[in-house]
Amino acid sequence: ALTRVAPERWAELHFEFHPSVRRLALFWNVPQTWKALTNDAARPEQSVQATPAQWLLWRRELQTFFRSLQLPEVAALDAALDRRSFGEICASLARHFTTEETPARAAVFLRRWVTSGLITAVG
């Protein structure tokens, strides 16, 4: 669907996300513990951080996925989840990257969201 979007429409695009998509800010090392338990590995010692780590969680079919997020992607994802346009998502990234870097970073995030199955529709 994205390949059929005319270049002049990109700034106004909005994205629909799978209903399972969640973003969490966790102070404890819960994801590392979960990963260790599901892989029958040694459980790490519980620890708490002064600043929360940002995590993205979603499901594809019956499988649960999660990964950590860096602050620029948090800004972009929050804007997208708030139903802001692609132009507004890029503007949120402009606080983290130079003018030259922003479009490429936005494209990287968008591609990652599409290939992970987070985005279900474009409008």
Side-chain angles (χ1 to χ4, degrees), residues 25-56:
L26 300 174
F27 286 93
W28 291 86
N29 61 335
V30 173
Q32 293 85 350
T33 302
W34 174 262
K35 187 173 183 174
L37 291 173
T38 57
N39 291 330
D40 291 326
R43 188 172 72 181
E45 192 169 317
Q46 292 181 342
S47 64
V48 66
Q49 303 170 52
T51 357
Q54 305 298 320
W55 289 90
L56 173 64

Side-chain angles (χ1 to χ4, degrees), residues 2-120:
L2 289 173
T3 61
R4 293 188 302 270
V5 175
E8 62 273 7
R9 287 201 51 236
W10 270 88
E12 301 304 319
L13 283 182
H14 290 83
F15 306 103
E16 295 284 333
F17 284 80
H18 190 275
S20 68
V21 173
R22 297 289 183 271
R23 196 180 67 70
L24 296 176
L26 300 174
F27 286 93
W28 291 86
N29 61 335
V30 173
Q32 293 85 350
T33 302
W34 174 262
K35 187 173 183 174
L37 291 173
T38 57
N39 291 330
D40 291 326
R43 188 172 72 181
E45 192 169 317
Q46 292 181 342
S47 64
V48 66
Q49 303 170 52
T51 357
Q54 305 298 320
W55 289 90
L56 173 64
L57 293 86
W58 74 100
R59 290 180 62 100
R60 188 170 42 211
E61 297 181 13
L62 297 177
Q63 191 169 1
T64 301
F65 297 89
F66 61 95
R67 65 175 175 84
S68 62
L69 297 169
Q70 298 300 316
L71 289 180
E73 188 173 6
V74 168
L77 184 61
D78 284 351
L81 290 170
D82 284 344
R83 298 274 303 139
R84 294 196 184 124
S85 69
F86 188 64
E88 292 169 313
I89 294 167
C90 291
S92 73
L93 287 174
R95 292 181 218 118
H96 299 276
F97 301 107
T98 66
T99 304
E100 294 78 26
E101 294 172 313
T102 298
R105 296 304 303 177
V108 166
F109 293 149
L110 183 58
R111 182 171 192 220
R112 187 179 300 156
W113 300 343
V114 168
T115 58
S116 296
L118 303 179
I119 294 178
T120 58

